[in-house]
Amino acid sequence: MKAKFKYIIVAALAALSCRPAAEAPAYVEAGRLNAPLDTWEPVAVAAGKEGRVYVADASENSAVQIFDADRVYAGGFGGLGKEPGRLFVPTDVAAGPDGAVYVAEFGTRRVSVFGPDGAFRRLVGGGTFIAPFGVAAGPDGKIYVADAEAGGVFVFDEAGKPLERWGEEAGVGRAWDVACAADGRVAAIVADAPDIFVFGPGEAEPQRLRVPEEPSFVPVECAFGPEGRVFALGKVTSAGGTEDYCVLRLAEDGRVEDKIEISLTSPAGLAVAADGTVYVADGPRRDVRIYRRD
């Protein structure tokens, strides 16, 4: 039941409006990730090294499912439990530049760190979090955790030592999601807010991106692409009241460079691979869609 908490909040976000694209879409749907499991609930997705894809599964499996570079299922790790190496209601997953995999857990209010093949390494942030729904790893080994209930984005060093917290003073006290770029920039999404907050390396004051073409756009997930562009997944609604989602690829000033129409009902996971492939996970639909440039 707790695994549904993320979707309740997402579903309650303000209605939005995205105009239809004037030109043919640059991205097209190119398939799905399929896990040969009796049941799974893909709530988050991460693109790792060597083309691997990691999916946080918040079903009774309570695991991370792995797909190889050919998008073929390659097993999973974790499993329901609270002891180190087990997972309890995973809410987000991130892949670090060294191949490590970071898993935020709502059930245990911590982050678990694994090797690329699922070997458990360590725990981070136990006793710090209330609702860790976003996790990311920077190129310098720092770990970033978004927790809207505990008050912002928490920053740890590679060993898990707390370094700082970005909160209301930086505008991200209600941080919902976080992502890292290869150049050290960090993006944060704030619940119910239209801005994407982008922190430069060593900067305490973020740049605020707001989509000029879509002034009512409110993102729910963010990611960086291989060229350093920010991608934002947002909930949208048409003038007639139909609710949909789209993914926007943004320029440095927030202008829309590409738009992907998403044919899902409650997506809450977004990742962009090194080759530009976009993954969107929808837990209640048990679906992970793949989008590539046309």
Side-chain angles (χ1 to χ4, degrees), residues 46-249:
K49 297 183 68 176
E50 300 178 351
R52 286 188 176 185
V53 180
Y54 300 91
V55 181
D57 179 0
S59 71
E60 61 267 26
N61 300 316
S62 209
V64 171
Q65 311 298 350
I66 308 173
F67 296 81
D68 66 17
D70 295 321
R71 280 65 175 178
V72 175
Y73 181 67
F77 60 86
L80 184 63
K82 295 183 178 181
E83 61 270 28
R86 294 286 184 172
L87 299 172
F88 194 57
V89 193
T91 51
D92 199 14
V93 60
D98 64 347
V101 181
Y102 302 81
V103 186
E105 302 173 58
F106 177 76
T108 52
R109 301 178 181 181
R110 69 189 183 194
V111 170
S112 292
V113 185
F114 299 85
D117 293 317
F120 174 73
R121 292 184 176 178
R122 62 186 178 279
L123 299 174
V124 174
T128 302
F129 310 124
I130 298 175
F133 279 140
V135 64
D140 56 358
K142 289 182 179 177
I143 305 164
Y144 301 84
V145 182
D147 188 332
E149 298 301 319
V153 176
F154 294 80
V155 187
F156 301 83
D157 68 11
E158 187 174 6
K161 177 184 177 181
L163 298 177
E164 58 182 321
R165 176 177 61 86
W166 303 335
E168 290 295 348
E169 72 285 353
V172 294
R174 294 284 294 167
W176 175 261
D177 190 36
V178 63
C180 292
D183 62 4
R185 287 177 298 144
V186 179
I189 296 295
V190 176
D192 300 311
D195 296 312
I196 302 170
F197 297 79
V198 181
F199 295 83
E203 296 180 1
E205 291 296 327
Q207 174 192 9
R208 295 192 180 202
L209 295 183
R210 185 173 297 188
V211 182
E213 298 93 337
E214 305 291 349
S216 63
F217 180 78
V218 178
V220 297
E221 291 285 309
C222 62
F224 281 100
E227 299 175 351
R229 290 291 194 256
V230 174
F231 285 69
L233 166 66
K235 185 180 179 182
V236 300
T237 184
S238 69
T242 302
E243 293 184 348
D244 293 296
Y245 284 80
C246 67
V247 172
L248 302 180
R249 177 179 182 266

Side-chain angles (χ1 to χ4, degrees), residues 34-41 57 59-61 65 73 286:
N34 295 306
L37 305 169
D38 292 336
T39 182
W40 76 318
E41 189 176 351
D57 179 0
S59 71
E60 61 267 26
N61 300 316
Q65 311 298 350
Y73 181 67
R286 300 178 180 178

Side-chain angles (χ1 to χ4, degrees), residues 9-51:
I9 298 178
V10 171
L13 292 174
L16 317 168
S17 63
C18 279
R19 295 188 298 272
E23 302 176 354
Y27 288 83
V28 295
E29 188 174 321
R32 303 177 180 181
L33 295 181
N34 295 306
L37 305 169
D38 292 336
T39 182
W40 76 318
E41 189 176 351
V43 298
V45 59
K49 297 183 68 176
E50 300 178 351

